[in-house]
Amino acid sequence: MRKTGLLWEHLVADTGYSSGENYAFLESQGLTSYIPPHGTYKGGPDDFIYDKENDHYLCPEGKIIPFKKVFLDYRTKTKKKEYRSSSRQCKGCPLASQCLRKTAKEKKFSVTYYREEYERAIARVNSKQGRYMKKKRQSTVEPVFGTLKEYMGLRKINTLGIKQANKVMHMAGIAYNLKKYLKFITKTAKSGARSLGLVIFKVKTLFGNYSLILSRAHFRVS
Ligand code: SF4
C-alpha cells in the first residue's frame, strides 16, 4: 500500500481477530486498531482491583496479590502472568469459600500478558471514533463478504497459496464493484439519451481501469 502512496493508519476487524499478540503487533507498527476483544477476555478475577504501577491486585479483603511469573499457557500457547497470594494472607478469610478453589489455601490466578494492550483496545472500541469505525465495518466491508459468499458463490477459494488467493479476491472485488456500479448508474439515469452517454463514458472509463488492474496482476484480457 505504501508503494502506491496509500497511508495505512487505522485497522478495523471483528472479534475473530482479537488477541493480545495482534494488538501488540499492530501497536508496534504504529497502526490504530478497532478490534473488539473476544468474549473470554478478563482483566482479572471479579472484584479484584489491578494496581498498574505496582503490578499487583487488591482482593476484596484489601490484601495485595503479587505478581509471580510469566509463563506460556500450554493449551492456548499464549503468554500469561501469574499472581498468587500466600496461605498466611488467606487464612481465616470470611470470603475464602467463594474466593478459593475447593482445596486451595491461597489465591492463584493468571491474566493475559497483554492486559494493557487489551485495555487500550477496549477503550478505543468504546470511544466515539470506535463506534463510528464499527458502523463503517458493518455497512461497507461485511456486506461485501456476505454478498460474495451468499449470492456470488464464493464459498471457498480453489487456488494454492496466498498470492493466488489474493488475485481471486481482487477479481471478486472488481466484479462486485462493477455489478454494483452498473446497477447504480442504471437506477440514477435521468433521461435516455443523456444517461446513455453517461453510461458509455463511465463504463468505458471503468473498463480502462479494469484492464489496467488486470494487466498489473499479469492477466490477459481479450
Ligand atoms: S481468600 Fe484471600 S484473596 Fe480471597 S478475598 Fe480472602 S484474603 Fe483475599
Side-chain angles (χ1 to χ4, degrees), residues 18-204:
S18 157
S19 76
E21 286 80 1
N22 283 355
Y23 292 138
F25 173 75
L26 293 169
E27 283 188 6
S28 73
Q29 299 299 305
L31 292 169
T32 309
S33 69
Y34 297 90
I35 309 173
H38 53 78
T40 54
Y41 170 73
K42 259 183 115 178
D46 292 340
D47 303 325
F48 281 54
I49 299 160
Y50 182 61
D51 181 336
K52 188 175 158 186
E53 208 173 303
N54 299 301
D55 192 15
H56 65 221
Y57 282 81
L58 278 180
C59 78
E61 283 292 293
K63 305 270 172 68
I64 291 173
I65 317 297
F67 163 71
K68 289 291 172 189
K69 64 175 181 185
V70 173
F71 68 100
L72 197 69
D73 188 311
Y74 72 95
R75 283 167 303 159
T76 58
K77 305 275 180 264
T78 53
K79 249 164 118 182
K80 288 189 171 173
K81 290 170 88 173
E82 184 184 297
Y83 297 83
R84 194 171 64 216
S85 70
S86 67
S87 53
R88 193 167 40 83
Q89 282 178 300
C90 298
K91 199 174 177 186
C93 172
L95 300 176
S97 61
Q98 306 146 46
C99 184
L100 304 182
R101 289 208 183 117
K102 236 179 189 178
T103 53
K105 289 189 166 57
E106 68 206 9
K107 182 71 175 173
K108 179 179 156 187
F109 59 87
S110 62
V111 177
T112 170
Y113 179 82
Y114 301 101
R115 187 184 186 283
E116 291 310 303
E117 283 82 355
Y118 268 97
E119 292 299 321
R120 284 195 288 273
I122 291 168
R124 281 196 300 276
V125 165
N126 292 332
S127 68
K128 198 177 167 192
Q129 177 76 0
R131 289 195 296 277
Y132 168 80
M133 291 303 226
K134 186 183 176 187
K135 272 189 196 161
K136 275 273 165 221
R137 168 168 67 81
Q138 289 176 333
S139 63
T140 55
V141 183
E142 286 175 358
V144 178
F145 281 103
T147 305
L148 288 175
K149 269 171 68 187
E150 299 302 324
Y151 302 107
M152 295 171 88
L154 196 73
R155 293 208 152 263
K156 61 177 182 178
I157 292 174
N158 297 316
T159 53
L160 284 179
I162 196 104
K163 267 190 168 179
Q164 295 301 324
N166 196 22
K167 280 181 191 172
V168 173
M169 287 313 292
H170 270 97
M171 293 300 290
I174 290 166
Y176 176 93
N177 284 336
L178 275 172
K179 264 190 103 164
K180 203 170 169 185
Y181 183 69
L182 289 170
K183 202 172 166 187
F184 172 75
I185 56 174
T186 311
K187 256 191 199 172
T188 52
K190 289 215 169 102
S191 73
R194 208 174 139 211
S195 63
L196 187 63
L198 188 72
V199 169
I200 292 165
F201 172 72
K202 290 206 172 172
V203 171
K204 270 186 178 172

